[in-house]
Amino acid sequence: MDGIEVPAAAARVSRLSYATGLTQDAASVGTVEHLLAALVGLGVDNVSVELDQAEVPIMDGSAASFVYLVHEAGIKQLNKPRRFLKVVRPISLSRGDKRIAVYPSDHFKVTYSISFDHPLLRHQSRTQRLTEGSFIEEIAPARTFCFLKEVEQLRQKGLALGGSLDNAIVLGETGILNNGLRFDDEFVRHKILDVVGDLALVGHPIIGHVVAHRGGHALHASFAQQILEDSEAWRLVEYPAEPVEAGLSDSVGVGRAVLPVQ
Ligand SMILES: [Zn+2]
């Protein structure tokens, strides 16, 4: 759209239903969360994404393809220290039975729990410390999921038009329609992927323990905005000038950019 740039920032969040969208002037882009999660997970903080459509491709419903493509392109270490948002006081948000909070921690960690009225995912909970390695192995391959009865509603809204068993786990009444799961708790792992991607919108890698229960994109995105507004609850620290044993990358405290496509 005539080269309009849409900042990946909490203040730009627009559409929120089954995915997270961003808007700048006349341009909108949907389903940014899995791509943003891959970039955060790989420690990339400088990147420009070019799109020729209004939605980031869903790929297989996970972030694995984006991880692969970033690795293929290569990552360049920059000459500047990375600035982390280090949580020093708890911040929390709840809406009905949905809750999300972030607590001080020496690492970036996410605890997520979900419960649905479905035999396969009545309750799942997982705590994941996020390093580059654990993101790639444990979180990036986890696919999004949807309920068969919702697919028709999504189509009516013009969403998930390409939706199929190739890009989501589809849950029928009693089981899944796909050929198996990638992890026993793939559903809650995907929720961790989503919250990592949505909290990318704070604009800095987070040092803190995120705890979420039954959240979704709307809650995650509001929380990203709330974190930014509650500036007493965090400070920006540079690594390694102010050493913290943390950060997404196991070893790197400097900024990283994806190399341009040749
Ligand atoms: Zn997702």
Side-chain angles (χ1 to χ4, degrees), residues 1-4 6 15 20-22 26-32 35 49-59 66 158 161-162 167:
M1 290 197 63
D2 301 326
I4 297 175
V6 185
R15 285 174 289 147
T20 301
L22 302 167
S28 289
V29 54
T31 322
V32 299
L35 175 58
V49 178
E50 293 184 355
L51 286 151
D52 61 0
Q53 55 175 6
E55 196 169 23
V56 176
I58 189 68
M59 315 305 275
F66 298 124
L161 290 173
N167 53 34

Side-chain angles (χ1 to χ4, degrees), residues 34 144 190 194:
H34 303 160
T144 191
H190 186 81
D194 279 341

Side-chain angles (χ1 to χ4, degrees), residues 65-84:
S65 305
F66 298 124
V67 168
Y68 172 81
L69 290 167
V70 170
H71 279 154
E72 284 289 293
I75 293 173
K76 181 180 181 180
Q77 295 199 8
L78 303 176
N79 225 343
K80 296 264 185 189
R82 169 176 292 162
R83 304 186 87 193
F84 294 84

Side-chain angles (χ1 to χ4, degrees), residues 153-202:
Q153 296 168 5
L154 281 171
R155 293 224 165 112
Q156 282 168 10
K157 285 185 178 178
L159 297 164
L161 290 173
S164 76
L165 296 177
D166 295 330
N167 53 34
I169 306 165
V170 181
L171 289 138
E173 292 286 309
T174 54
I176 60 165
L177 277 62
N178 313 65
N179 284 326
L181 294 171
R182 294 178 179 174
F183 306 98
D184 285 346
D185 60 350
E186 186 168 358
F187 307 100
V188 75
R189 289 181 194 233
H190 186 81
K191 298 299 284 190
I192 294 174
L193 174 66
D194 279 341
V195 79
V196 168
D198 288 334
L199 292 183
L201 300 172
V202 304

